[in-house]
Amino acid sequence: MNALLAMSTPMSWLMERLLEPLSHGFMVRALCVSALVGGVCGLLSCYMTLKGWALMGDAVSHAVLPGVVVAYALALPFSLGAFVFGVGSVALIGFVKQKSRVKEDAVIGLVFTGFFALGLVLASRTRSNIDLFHILFGNVLGISVADIQQTLLISTIVVVILVLLRRDLMLFCFDPTHARSIGINTGLLHYLLLSVLSLAAVAGLQTVGIILVVAMLVTPGATAYLLTDRFDRMTWLAILSSVVSSLLGVYISYWSDSSTAGCIVLVQTGLFLIAFLFAPRYGIFKSRSLPAMTASKD
Amino acid sequence: MMAPVDAFRTVDRLRIEAEGLCVDYNGTVALYDAGLCLKSGCICGLVGMNGAGKSTLFKALMGFIRPSRGIIRINGLPVAKAQREQAVAYVPQSEGIDCSFPVSVWDVVMMGRYGSMNLLRIPRESDRAAVRHALERVELLDLRDRPIGSLSGGQRKRTFLARAIAQRASVLLLDEPFNGVDVRTEKLMAQLFLQFRDEGRTILISTHDLSHVRDFCDLVVLINKTVLAYGETSEVFTPENIAMTFGGLPPNLITGPASSEELD
C-alpha cells in the first residue's frame, strides 16, 4: 500500500503541475500562441541561418518599433505599421549600402538603431495606452483576442509562402547564381524573404518582444544545423525544437513566476548548448563511431 | 517548353552570338566592343588575365548584367528567353559555394531540374531519371546520399557538372574547371567535354591554365577588356598572341603553375 502511494505520488505530482496551468484561459492561449509563433519562426530560422541573415533579423525586429507605436496611435492593426517599418528599414539598408561606401554591417547597425530610437521617442511622446515594456519584452500571458487573430493571419501567410517556395528559397540560399541562370527571379525572392522576415518578427514580438525576437529567428535553425546534413530534416528539427522551447518556456515561466520571453529563449539557448556539446557529428563531444563529414579523398 | 535533348544535334546551329558588347560598372569599362560567335558542338577556351573581363563576359552571357551596348543571343534567342529554356548552365568554382550547406549530392544535381519543374518543384520520374543518368556520367551515383561537405574538391566539381548535365543545357559556362581537382576527375572531365561536344553542346571554359587550352580546346578567345584574338586554337594560340593577352609577359612565365589569384 505504501509502496503504491510512493509510486503514484511523483506521477500525480507531475500531472498536477502539467494540468493545473491549463485551467487558466490565459495559459492555454499563451501556450497555443507561443507554440504557433515558435513553429513559424523555427521554420524561417533555417533560411536565416543558412543565408547568413541573423543580423538582418535583429535589424528588422528592432526597426518595427516606430511602426507599432504609430499604428497604435492611429488605431490601426499594429502588425500593419510594424510590417511597413520592417520592410522600410530593409529597403533603406539596401539603399544606403548601394549609395555610400559604408560597409553593410555598419549600415545595418546604424539604420536599425536609428529606427529603434525613433520608436522610443515616439512612444514616450504619444499619449496612448501602449505599454512599451510589453512591446519590448513581450506579453504573451496577456495577449488579446484581436492580437491572436492577427498572429494567426500573419503565421498563415508566412507558412504558405515558405512552404510553396521552399525549394526556390533553399536554392536561393545555396547557389543564387544557378537560381538566376535557370530563370528564377532572385531579386523577387530576396525581397519576399525579407518581407516574410518582417512578418515573422511582428508575430514573434507578440510572444517574446522586440528585443528577443531575433533568438526565435536564429537559434532553432542554428541548433538544427548542428544535428543534420539534410535540409528537410533541418527544417523539421528547427520547428520541433522551437515549439518545444515555447511550450516548455511558458510552463517554466508559470511555475517560476519569471519572464515568459526570457524562459522561452533560455530553453532555446539550452537546446542549442546541448546540440553544441553532444550533436552526433558536429558536437564538441561527438560520437566516435561517426566519421566527421569533412573533406575526404577519393 | 524545354528543348528536347536531340536539339543539341542541330547541325551548325549558332549557340552563342555576341556583337559589339560593351559593359561598364558605374563608369569603369569592363568590356568594350567584344564580339564572339560559337557554333554548336565546340569547346572554346576563354583566356585572359585577372580583371580582363572573363567573368564579366560570363555574367553577360547569363543575363546577370545588361550590356550598355551590343547584343547577345543564345541559340538565336535573347538571353532571358534562353534562360527560361534552360539553355545555359554555369558550373561554378567550388570555392564560391558554401560547402557546409545541408544538401546531398542528389539534392544538388536535382537543382538542375528545377527550371523544368512546376512551381512547387516536385520531381517527376523523368526528373529522377535525368539526375540518375547525370550522376552515372560523372561516376558519382554511389555517393548520391553524401552531404556535399564530405566530398573532395574533384567530387564536388563533378557534382556541379552533373547538375549542368541534368539541366540539359546546350551551353555550358565553366569557371576554372581544372582548379584543384584530382587526376581522376581531370581525366573524366576532359572525356566528358569531348562527349558534350559530340552531342552538340557548346562549352566555354574560362581558365588560367594554358596547357589545357592547347590539349582540347577547338577554339580559343583571348581577352583583355575586349576580344584580342579569336579562332582555331592552332592559329590563334601563338606565343605572340598570348604575350599580348598577358600584357607582354614572356609565355614561358605564363605556362608555369596557375596562379592562386582569384578571378576578377
Side-chain angles (χ1 to χ4, degrees), chain B residues 43-78:
Chain B
I43 304 175
C44 178
L46 181 62
V47 177
M49 290 188 296
N50 292 324
K54 286 182 297 200
S55 48
T56 301
L57 182 60
F58 269 18
K59 281 180 194 156
L61 290 175
M62 289 188 284
F64 291 4
I65 40 179
R66 194 182 291 275
S68 48
R69 206 141 24 93
I71 38 166
I72 304 175
R73 285 181 180 280
I74 309 274
N75 290 340
L77 300 169

mmCIF file of all heavy atoms in Angstrom, chain B residues 43-78:
data_model
loop_
_atom_site.group_PDB
_atom_site.id
_atom_site.type_symbol
_atom_site.label_atom_id
_atom_site.label_comp_id
_atom_site.label_asym_id
_atom_site.label_seq_id
_atom_site.Cartn_x
_atom_site.Cartn_y
_atom_site.Cartn_z
ATOM 1 N N ILE B 43 34.390 23.293 -78.203
ATOM 2 C CA ILE B 43 34.966 23.619 -76.902
ATOM 3 C C ILE B 43 35.839 24.844 -77.088
ATOM 4 O O ILE B 43 36.734 24.837 -77.931
ATOM 5 C CB ILE B 43 35.823 22.458 -76.365
ATOM 6 C CG1 ILE B 43 35.011 21.160 -76.303
ATOM 7 C CG2 ILE B 43 36.387 22.803 -74.996
ATOM 8 C CD1 ILE B 43 35.820 19.953 -75.898
ATOM 9 N N CYS B 44 35.541 25.869 -76.343
ATOM 10 C CA CYS B 44 36.257 27.115 -76.546
ATOM 11 C C CYS B 44 36.899 27.561 -75.238
ATOM 12 O O CYS B 44 36.249 27.594 -74.192
ATOM 13 C CB CYS B 44 35.289 28.182 -77.046
ATOM 14 S SG CYS B 44 36.057 29.773 -77.268
ATOM 15 N N GLY B 45 38.167 27.860 -75.269
ATOM 16 C CA GLY B 45 38.872 28.359 -74.092
ATOM 17 C C GLY B 45 38.780 29.874 -74.034
ATOM 18 O O GLY B 45 38.920 30.547 -75.055
ATOM 19 N N LEU B 46 38.504 30.393 -72.854
ATOM 20 C CA LEU B 46 38.439 31.846 -72.672
ATOM 21 C C LEU B 46 39.627 32.227 -71.798
ATOM 22 O O LEU B 46 39.681 31.877 -70.627
ATOM 23 C CB LEU B 46 37.121 32.201 -71.994
ATOM 24 C CG LEU B 46 36.827 33.664 -71.715
ATOM 25 C CD1 LEU B 46 36.748 34.461 -72.991
ATOM 26 C CD2 LEU B 46 35.523 33.790 -70.939
ATOM 27 N N VAL B 47 40.596 32.898 -72.409
ATOM 28 C CA VAL B 47 41.855 33.120 -71.717
ATOM 29 C C VAL B 47 42.114 34.614 -71.544
ATOM 30 O O VAL B 47 41.933 35.392 -72.475
ATOM 31 C CB VAL B 47 43.020 32.483 -72.514
ATOM 32 C CG1 VAL B 47 44.359 32.762 -71.848
ATOM 33 C CG2 VAL B 47 42.796 30.990 -72.668
ATOM 34 N N GLY B 48 42.501 34.989 -70.346
ATOM 35 C CA GLY B 48 42.826 36.385 -70.083
ATOM 36 C C GLY B 48 43.298 36.531 -68.657
ATOM 37 O O GLY B 48 43.155 35.610 -67.846
ATOM 38 N N MET B 49 43.875 37.695 -68.366
ATOM 39 C CA MET B 49 44.374 37.926 -67.010
ATOM 40 C C MET B 49 43.208 38.122 -66.039
ATOM 41 O O MET B 49 42.063 38.250 -66.447
ATOM 42 C CB MET B 49 45.220 39.205 -66.977
ATOM 43 C CG MET B 49 46.533 39.096 -67.696
ATOM 44 S SD MET B 49 47.518 40.553 -67.378
ATOM 45 C CE MET B 49 46.545 41.826 -68.125
ATOM 46 N N ASN B 50 43.550 38.209 -64.765
ATOM 47 C CA ASN B 50 42.529 38.606 -63.785
ATOM 48 C C ASN B 50 42.064 40.008 -64.128
ATOM 49 O O ASN B 50 42.879 40.868 -64.417
ATOM 50 C CB ASN B 50 43.118 38.616 -62.376
ATOM 51 C CG ASN B 50 43.457 37.224 -61.907
ATOM 52 O OD1 ASN B 50 42.745 36.278 -62.230
ATOM 53 N ND2 ASN B 50 44.539 37.098 -61.186
ATOM 54 N N GLY B 51 40.759 40.199 -64.123
ATOM 55 C CA GLY B 51 40.242 41.530 -64.421
ATOM 56 C C GLY B 51 40.188 41.836 -65.900
ATOM 57 O O GLY B 51 39.896 42.957 -66.293
ATOM 58 N N ALA B 52 40.447 40.829 -66.731
ATOM 59 C CA ALA B 52 40.421 41.072 -68.172
ATOM 60 C C ALA B 52 39.001 41.081 -68.709
ATOM 61 O O ALA B 52 38.760 41.454 -69.844
ATOM 62 C CB ALA B 52 41.248 40.022 -68.897
ATOM 63 N N GLY B 53 38.047 40.646 -67.889
ATOM 64 C CA GLY B 53 36.653 40.659 -68.315
ATOM 65 C C GLY B 53 36.079 39.277 -68.566
ATOM 66 O O GLY B 53 35.004 39.153 -69.140
ATOM 67 N N LYS B 54 36.785 38.231 -68.086
ATOM 68 C CA LYS B 54 36.274 36.874 -68.301
ATOM 69 C C LYS B 54 34.944 36.676 -67.585
ATOM 70 O O LYS B 54 33.969 36.223 -68.166
ATOM 71 C CB LYS B 54 37.281 35.829 -67.796
ATOM 72 C CG LYS B 54 38.494 35.685 -68.693
ATOM 73 C CD LYS B 54 39.430 34.608 -68.178
ATOM 74 C CE LYS B 54 39.958 34.980 -66.829
ATOM 75 N NZ LYS B 54 41.153 34.316 -66.400
ATOM 76 N N SER B 55 34.934 37.020 -66.306
ATOM 77 C CA SER B 55 33.681 36.777 -65.582
ATOM 78 C C SER B 55 32.615 37.799 -65.976
ATOM 79 O O SER B 55 31.424 37.497 -65.907
ATOM 80 C CB SER B 55 33.897 36.745 -64.082
ATOM 81 O OG SER B 55 34.653 37.816 -63.661
ATOM 82 N N THR B 56 33.043 38.979 -66.430
ATOM 83 C CA THR B 56 32.052 39.935 -66.940
ATOM 84 C C THR B 56 31.359 39.353 -68.168
ATOM 85 O O THR B 56 30.136 39.432 -68.297
ATOM 86 C CB THR B 56 32.737 41.261 -67.323
ATOM 87 O OG1 THR B 56 33.383 41.781 -66.178
ATOM 88 C CG2 THR B 56 31.729 42.270 -67.841
ATOM 89 N N LEU B 57 32.148 38.729 -69.050
ATOM 90 C CA LEU B 57 31.559 38.109 -70.232
ATOM 91 C C LEU B 57 30.604 36.986 -69.832
ATOM 92 O O LEU B 57 29.500 36.873 -70.365
ATOM 93 C CB LEU B 57 32.672 37.574 -71.143
ATOM 94 C CG LEU B 57 32.219 36.936 -72.454
ATOM 95 C CD1 LEU B 57 31.443 37.930 -73.302
ATOM 96 C CD2 LEU B 57 33.408 36.396 -73.241
ATOM 97 N N PHE B 58 31.021 36.175 -68.853
ATOM 98 C CA PHE B 58 30.140 35.110 -68.358
ATOM 99 C C PHE B 58 28.833 35.692 -67.834
ATOM 100 O O PHE B 58 27.747 35.212 -68.144
ATOM 101 C CB PHE B 58 30.835 34.327 -67.232
ATOM 102 C CG PHE B 58 31.613 33.136 -67.704
ATOM 103 C CD1 PHE B 58 31.979 33.012 -69.042
ATOM 104 C CD2 PHE B 58 31.964 32.112 -66.827
ATOM 105 C CE1 PHE B 58 32.696 31.904 -69.487
ATOM 106 C CE2 PHE B 58 32.679 31.009 -67.261
ATOM 107 C CZ PHE B 58 33.049 30.906 -68.591
ATOM 108 N N LYS B 59 28.960 36.736 -67.017
ATOM 109 C CA LYS B 59 27.754 37.333 -66.422
ATOM 110 C C LYS B 59 26.838 37.882 -67.506
ATOM 111 O O LYS B 59 25.613 37.777 -67.411
ATOM 112 C CB LYS B 59 28.141 38.455 -65.456
ATOM 113 C CG LYS B 59 28.606 37.945 -64.115
ATOM 114 C CD LYS B 59 28.976 39.099 -63.210
ATOM 115 C CE LYS B 59 29.753 38.620 -61.994
ATOM 116 N NZ LYS B 59 30.581 39.695 -61.439
ATOM 117 N N ALA B 60 27.446 38.456 -68.550
ATOM 118 C CA ALA B 60 26.624 38.987 -69.634
ATOM 119 C C ALA B 60 25.914 37.847 -70.366
ATOM 120 O O ALA B 60 24.736 37.949 -70.708
ATOM 121 C CB ALA B 60 27.483 39.793 -70.597
ATOM 122 N N LEU B 61 26.634 36.741 -70.558
ATOM 123 C CA LEU B 61 26.022 35.608 -71.265
ATOM 124 C C LEU B 61 24.905 34.976 -70.443
ATOM 125 O O LEU B 61 23.970 34.397 -70.979
ATOM 126 C CB LEU B 61 27.087 34.544 -71.590
ATOM 127 C CG LEU B 61 28.121 34.919 -72.649
ATOM 128 C CD1 LEU B 61 29.169 33.822 -72.783
ATOM 129 C CD2 LEU B 61 27.460 35.176 -73.993
ATOM 130 N N MET B 62 25.024 35.088 -69.111
ATOM 131 C CA MET B 62 23.970 34.527 -68.262
ATOM 132 C C MET B 62 22.857 35.534 -67.997
ATOM 133 O O MET B 62 21.897 35.225 -67.314
ATOM 134 C CB MET B 62 24.563 34.058 -66.937
ATOM 135 C CG MET B 62 25.414 32.816 -67.082
ATOM 136 S SD MET B 62 25.913 32.145 -65.492
ATOM 137 C CE MET B 62 27.194 33.271 -65.019
ATOM 138 N N GLY B 63 23.029 36.749 -68.499
ATOM 139 C CA GLY B 63 21.993 37.750 -68.325
ATOM 140 C C GLY B 63 22.014 38.435 -66.974
ATOM 141 O O GLY B 63 21.027 39.037 -66.555
ATOM 142 N N PHE B 64 23.135 38.354 -66.248
ATOM 143 C CA PHE B 64 23.198 38.983 -64.927
ATOM 144 C C PHE B 64 23.489 40.463 -65.029
ATOM 145 O O PHE B 64 23.173 41.219 -64.126
ATOM 146 C CB PHE B 64 24.285 38.329 -64.068
ATOM 147 C CG PHE B 64 23.967 36.933 -63.660
ATOM 148 C CD1 PHE B 64 22.819 36.304 -64.109
ATOM 149 C CD2 PHE B 64 24.805 36.236 -62.816
ATOM 150 C CE1 PHE B 64 22.517 35.008 -63.727
ATOM 151 C CE2 PHE B 64 24.515 34.942 -62.430
ATOM 152 C CZ PHE B 64 23.372 34.332 -62.895
ATOM 153 N N ILE B 65 24.179 40.851 -66.106
ATOM 154 C CA ILE B 65 24.401 42.282 -66.307
ATOM 155 C C ILE B 65 23.927 42.658 -67.698
ATOM 156 O O ILE B 65 24.063 41.887 -68.648
ATOM 157 C CB ILE B 65 25.887 42.684 -66.125
ATOM 158 C CG1 ILE B 65 26.793 41.632 -66.748
ATOM 159 C CG2 ILE B 65 26.227 42.939 -64.691
ATOM 160 C CD1 ILE B 65 28.253 41.994 -66.627
ATOM 161 N N ARG B 66 23.364 43.823 -67.770
ATOM 162 C CA ARG B 66 22.852 44.302 -69.043
ATOM 163 C C ARG B 66 23.968 45.096 -69.733
ATOM 164 O O ARG B 66 24.453 46.080 -69.171
ATOM 165 C CB ARG B 66 21.641 45.203 -68.802
ATOM 166 C CG ARG B 66 20.831 45.496 -70.045
ATOM 167 C CD ARG B 66 19.699 46.429 -69.680
ATOM 168 N NE ARG B 66 18.698 45.762 -68.841
ATOM 169 C CZ ARG B 66 17.699 45.032 -69.342
ATOM 170 N NH1 ARG B 66 17.570 44.886 -70.633
ATOM 171 N NH2 ARG B 66 16.824 44.468 -68.543
ATOM 172 N N PRO B 67 24.394 44.664 -70.901
ATOM 173 C CA PRO B 67 25.437 45.402 -71.598
ATOM 174 C C PRO B 67 24.944 46.803 -71.941
ATOM 175 O O PRO B 67 23.760 46.997 -72.238
ATOM 176 C CB PRO B 67 25.668 44.602 -72.877
ATOM 177 C CG PRO B 67 24.936 43.327 -72.726
ATOM 178 C CD PRO B 67 23.904 43.513 -71.668
ATOM 179 N N SER B 68 25.869 47.798 -71.877
ATOM 180 C CA SER B 68 25.451 49.153 -72.224
ATOM 181 C C SER B 68 25.282 49.274 -73.742
ATOM 182 O O SER B 68 24.568 50.150 -74.216
ATOM 183 C CB SER B 68 26.469 50.165 -71.708
ATOM 184 O OG SER B 68 27.776 49.771 -72.059
ATOM 185 N N ARG B 69 25.941 48.418 -74.469
ATOM 186 C CA ARG B 69 25.767 48.384 -75.909
ATOM 187 C C ARG B 69 25.975 46.954 -76.402
ATOM 188 O O ARG B 69 26.591 46.139 -75.729
ATOM 189 C CB ARG B 69 26.765 49.351 -76.581
ATOM 190 C CG ARG B 69 26.330 49.882 -77.895
ATOM 191 C CD ARG B 69 26.677 51.368 -78.167
ATOM 192 N NE ARG B 69 27.778 51.933 -77.435
ATOM 193 C CZ ARG B 69 29.045 51.956 -77.896
ATOM 194 N NH1 ARG B 69 29.352 51.415 -79.040
ATOM 195 N NH2 ARG B 69 30.001 52.547 -77.200
ATOM 196 N N GLY B 70 25.479 46.665 -77.586
ATOM 197 C CA GLY B 70 25.718 45.354 -78.181
ATOM 198 C C GLY B 70 24.594 44.379 -77.933
ATOM 199 O O GLY B 70 23.689 44.649 -77.132
ATOM 200 N N ILE B 71 24.631 43.248 -78.636
ATOM 201 C CA ILE B 71 23.588 42.240 -78.458
ATOM 202 C C ILE B 71 24.197 40.868 -78.169
ATOM 203 O O ILE B 71 25.303 40.564 -78.595
ATOM 204 C CB ILE B 71 22.669 42.118 -79.705
ATOM 205 C CG1 ILE B 71 23.483 42.257 -80.987
ATOM 206 C CG2 ILE B 71 21.512 43.064 -79.631
ATOM 207 C CD1 ILE B 71 22.714 41.812 -82.210
ATOM 208 N N ILE B 72 23.439 40.100 -77.437
ATOM 209 C CA ILE B 72 23.819 38.712 -77.175
ATOM 210 C C ILE B 72 22.643 37.824 -77.560
ATOM 211 O O ILE B 72 21.500 38.129 -77.223
ATOM 212 C CB ILE B 72 24.120 38.475 -75.684
ATOM 213 C CG1 ILE B 72 25.206 39.422 -75.196
ATOM 214 C CG2 ILE B 72 24.526 37.029 -75.449
ATOM 215 C CD1 ILE B 72 25.458 39.304 -73.724
ATOM 216 N N ARG B 73 22.934 36.754 -78.251
ATOM 217 C CA ARG B 73 21.910 35.752 -78.499
ATOM 218 C C ARG B 73 22.448 34.379 -78.146
ATOM 219 O O ARG B 73 23.597 34.072 -78.426
ATOM 220 C CB ARG B 73 21.479 35.769 -79.972
ATOM 221 C CG ARG B 73 20.603 36.941 -80.278
ATOM 222 C CD ARG B 73 20.146 36.955 -81.720
ATOM 223 N NE ARG B 73 19.304 38.119 -81.921
ATOM 224 C CZ ARG B 73 18.012 38.168 -81.565
ATOM 225 N NH1 ARG B 73 17.435 37.102 -81.050
ATOM 226 N NH2 ARG B 73 17.320 39.265 -81.742
ATOM 227 N N ILE B 74 21.612 33.602 -77.478
ATOM 228 C CA ILE B 74 21.959 32.221 -77.153
ATOM 229 C C ILE B 74 20.968 31.343 -77.914
ATOM 230 O O ILE B 74 19.751 31.530 -77.756
ATOM 231 C CB ILE B 74 21.817 31.937 -75.644
ATOM 232 C CG1 ILE B 74 22.562 32.976 -74.805
ATOM 233 C CG2 ILE B 74 22.248 30.513 -75.324
ATOM 234 C CD1 ILE B 74 24.009 32.726 -74.562
ATOM 235 N N ASN B 75 21.463 30.430 -78.711
ATOM 236 C CA ASN B 75 20.581 29.602 -79.554
ATOM 237 C C ASN B 75 19.626 30.478 -80.359
ATOM 238 O O ASN B 75 18.469 30.111 -80.565
ATOM 239 C CB ASN B 75 19.775 28.611 -78.718
ATOM 240 C CG ASN B 75 20.649 27.522 -78.145
ATOM 241 O OD1 ASN B 75 21.741 27.274 -78.644
ATOM 242 N ND2 ASN B 75 20.178 26.883 -77.087
ATOM 243 N N GLY B 76 20.089 31.642 -80.763
ATOM 244 C CA GLY B 76 19.259 32.533 -81.561
ATOM 245 C C GLY B 76 18.219 33.303 -80.765
ATOM 246 O O GLY B 76 17.409 34.022 -81.334
ATOM 247 N N LEU B 77 18.242 33.156 -79.442
ATOM 248 C CA LEU B 77 17.226 33.815 -78.604
ATOM 249 C C LEU B 77 17.876 34.873 -77.723
ATOM 250 O O LEU B 77 19.056 34.769 -77.395
ATOM 251 C CB LEU B 77 16.554 32.781 -77.691
ATOM 252 C CG LEU B 77 15.820 31.629 -78.356
ATOM 253 C CD1 LEU B 77 15.465 30.590 -77.304
ATOM 254 C CD2 LEU B 77 14.579 32.139 -79.049
ATOM 255 N N PRO B 78 17.108 35.869 -77.305
ATOM 256 C CA PRO B 78 17.617 36.798 -76.288
ATOM 257 C C PRO B 78 17.937 36.024 -75.004
ATOM 258 O O PRO B 78 17.309 34.983 -74.740
ATOM 259 C CB PRO B 78 16.457 37.758 -76.050
ATOM 260 C CG PRO B 78 15.524 37.569 -77.174
ATOM 261 C CD PRO B 78 15.749 36.214 -77.731
#
